[in-house]
Amino acid sequence: MLDYDLIIIGGGPAGLAAAVSAKEQGIDSILILERDNQLGGILNQCIHNGFGLHTFKEELTGPEYSQRFIDKVNDLGIEYKLDTMVLDVNDNKQVTAVNSADGILELKAKAIILAMGCRERPRGALNIPGSRCAGIYTAGTAQKYVNVEGLMPGKEVVILGSGDIGLIMARRMTLEGANVKACVELMPHSSGLKRNIVQCLDDFDIPLKLSTTIINIHGHARLEGVTIAKVDNNRKPINGTEEYIACDTLLLSVGLLPENELSRKANVNLSKVTGGPLVDERMQTSIPGIFTCGNVLHVHDLVDNVTTESYTAGKNAADSIKGIFHSGKTVEVFATDGVRYTVPTTINPENIGNGIDVRFRVGEVHKAAYISVYFDDTREMHIKKKILTPGEMESIKLTKAIFDKYSECTKITIKVEKE
């Protein structure tokens, strides 16, 4: 069995940033395990720009952003194995992996960082009636075909769901000569960033049909069209609102799921809301010494936020290896009244330095509302927001001074209030 100080599962933007952070904290024995044939993760197929504005203060494409961290990993001499599938992780921090060069690998670590990313929700999770004809893809699969393989999935396109990947692929398919007829969204609001709605749909006159879904898929060998319909407040199709759209391609952008099979094997406690691990202020899971970051923890809107979070996980994993941590009273963080979840869910004030960023998402659109933060029953923060949307992650900073002010606090509650 090979011993390492730190094993990082996943060589995407989260795993790379965490590795660099831990190395900069003085941890030398680090191993990154990546199942793909190259580092960089999903960013390798995201050839559009818009990455890095916060981290590097310039606009980069996805491959350019990931290459910055790949170069750092190489410069720092951090070991990594490609084409390596992790089969098992247990709560004793033992890892079993396999690749063609080494065969079965039995590894042991002082700390582990889970950075496996997320996957797309497939058609099978949607229960749309119709045949299993060709021409139906997840938006991410279509993105890989177009941007990496140089293949066009089709020419007459409908997109179901308005997640960021779907919005970006509406623009990408249009630029490659396809006719994107509509983006159909079940909810009364988009689940993507406002800037992507403007730049990818509005700028190309692609209609966004809200409170609408697909009720039938037509075609046998190849997709021939879809029937869409408006839905009521219970998300049930409304009779008489059906509309047929002829198309040869349907792209699904209906949500992302954190890739947490390995987390379950390690007996990590998972959130019922996000599907990702429950973590404390150090990005540590319920298993001491196992940390997590990136989209396997909760789905992010900006890769810059992934990097910030991953640097925190890497630093704290390094501290754990060195035996640097403070035990003591923890404060629980609750999401309620419009707030779906928070990261983290517990905070030990002794471990936050000058402060901590708490990230969260709301469940629906709120206009002219407030984000309120209660320490026990006392409202300490009341932040006015012009608009809150599920597609954009929110963040508040809780300073050490606030925790000193409420030194006897046992719970923090974050909620949406109208006044």
Side-chain angles (χ1 to χ4, degrees):
M1 182 172 289
L2 299 175
D3 289 333
Y4 288 86
D5 284 341
L6 176 61
I7 293 176
I8 298 172
I9 303 174
L16 294 173
V20 169
S21 175
K23 183 73 172 184
E24 290 174 345
Q25 296 297 316
I27 304 302
D28 291 321
S29 177
I30 301 174
L31 176 64
I32 302 172
L33 301 174
E34 169 55 49
R35 66 183 177 186
D36 205 350
N37 60 7
Q38 59 184 330
L39 297 173
I42 194 66
L43 291 187
N44 291 326
Q45 68 185 53
C46 299
I47 65 173
H48 53 281
N49 60 7
F51 301 93
L53 290 170
H54 300 282
T55 304
F56 297 111
K57 309 304 179 189
E58 59 181 306
E59 200 169 28
L60 304 172
T61 64
E64 288 173 329
Y65 187 97
S66 62
Q67 192 62 48
R68 298 282 179 97
F69 284 96
I70 294 170
D71 291 344
K72 285 186 178 182
V73 164
N74 288 325
D75 291 345
L76 292 169
I78 298 172
E79 183 183 353
Y80 57 86
K81 291 183 180 294
L82 303 176
D83 292 310
T84 301
M85 177 66 71
V86 176
L87 304 176
D88 189 47
V89 180
N90 65 33
D91 49 15
N92 290 321
K93 297 184 280 295
Q94 295 173 328
V95 177
T96 303
V98 62
N99 62 37
S100 58
D102 302 302
I104 297 291
L105 288 161
E106 296 288 347
L107 308 167
K108 182 79 168 70
K110 294 177 182 176
I112 292 174
I113 296 178
L114 304 172
M116 294 87 71
C118 60
R119 66 175 183 267
E120 295 176 280
R121 184 177 278 112
R123 177 187 173 180
L126 303 179
N127 297 321
I128 304 173
S131 65
R132 300 188 66 81
C133 51
I136 303 173
Y137 308 87
T138 64
T141 298
Q143 186 181 56
K144 185 172 183 178
Y145 280 155
V146 174
N147 293 347
V148 179
E149 307 293 342
L151 302 172
M152 274 294 282
K155 288 290 187 181
E156 302 290 319
V157 182
V158 171
I159 297 174
L160 176 62
S162 60
D164 289 314
I165 303 175
L167 299 175
I168 288 164
M169 282 309 295
R171 176 178 64 185
R172 189 78 184 98
M173 295 292 285
T174 300
L175 292 173
E176 288 297 327
N179 177 22
V180 180
K181 295 190 168 182
C183 184
V184 179
E185 171 58 55
L186 175 69
M187 302 298 288
H189 51 76
S190 170
S191 57
L193 292 170
K194 178 65 175 177
R195 75 180 191 192
N196 285 334
I197 297 171
V198 173
Q199 295 173 3
C200 301
L201 297 186
D202 297 350
D203 288 357
F204 294 90
D205 295 322
I206 299 170
L208 173 60
K209 297 178 180 289
L210 299 174
S211 298
T212 305
T213 193
I214 292 174
I215 60 171
N216 206 353
I217 289 173
H218 306 275
H220 294 283
R222 176 80 191 195
L223 179 67
E224 297 174 1
V226 297
T227 298
I228 65 173
K230 288 284 188 181
V231 297
D232 58 23
N233 293 334
N234 296 317
R235 302 177 198 168
K236 302 296 183 183
I238 301 172
N239 290 332
T241 64
E242 298 86 354
E243 176 188 352
Y244 177 80
I245 302 177
C247 60
D248 61 17
T249 305
L250 173 63
L251 303 187
L252 305 177
S253 179
V254 290
L256 300 169
L257 305 170
E259 193 88 66
N260 270 299
E261 285 74 16
L262 292 175
S263 305
R264 291 188 185 92
K265 289 188 175 184
N267 295 318
V268 166
N269 291 338
L270 302 181
S271 165
K272 294 179 181 179
V273 178
T274 65
L278 297 170
V279 296
D280 63 15
E281 74 289 340
R282 306 168 67 214
M283 298 294 123
Q284 184 172 240
T285 68
S286 57
I287 304 299
I290 298 184
F291 298 78
T292 185
C293 54
N295 282 352
V296 77
L297 173 56
H298 59 140
V299 176
H300 291 66
D301 48 2
L302 300 176
V303 72
D304 302 82
N305 291 336
V306 169
T307 297
T308 301
E309 187 177 274
S310 302
Y311 261 87
T312 300
K315 176 188 180 301
N316 287 317
D319 285 347
S320 173
I321 292 165
K322 298 174 188 176
I324 302 172
F325 59 90
H326 300 281
S327 59
K329 186 191 73 172
T330 60
V331 181
E332 290 191 75
V333 185
F334 292 91
T336 186
D337 293 348
V339 177
R340 294 182 62 235
Y341 70 89
T342 67
V343 172
T345 55
T346 60
I347 298 173
N348 178 351
E350 298 298 319
N351 287 322
I352 65 169
N354 292 325
I356 183 172
D357 291 317
V358 178
R359 294 189 171 90
F360 58 92
R361 287 185 189 266
V362 296
E364 58 186 48
V365 175
H366 300 273
K367 295 182 178 180
Y370 294 84
I371 292 295
S372 296
V373 182
Y374 286 79
F375 281 71
D376 286 334
D377 297 322
T378 303
R379 187 169 72 186
E380 172 63 24
M381 302 173 72
H382 196 51
I383 306 165
K384 188 170 185 179
K385 296 281 187 176
K386 287 184 178 179
I387 189 167
L388 295 163
T389 69
E392 303 202 23
M393 190 179 296
E394 299 292 331
S395 176
I396 56 168
K397 189 173 189 69
L398 302 180
T399 64
K400 188 70 163 64
I402 294 177
F403 282 98
D404 290 342
K405 180 180 176 180
Y406 296 97
S407 59
E408 301 302 316
C409 175
T410 59
K411 72 173 183 178
I412 297 169
T413 306
I414 302 177
K415 63 176 71 174
V416 178
E417 293 184 323
K418 288 301 181 182
E419 57 183 33

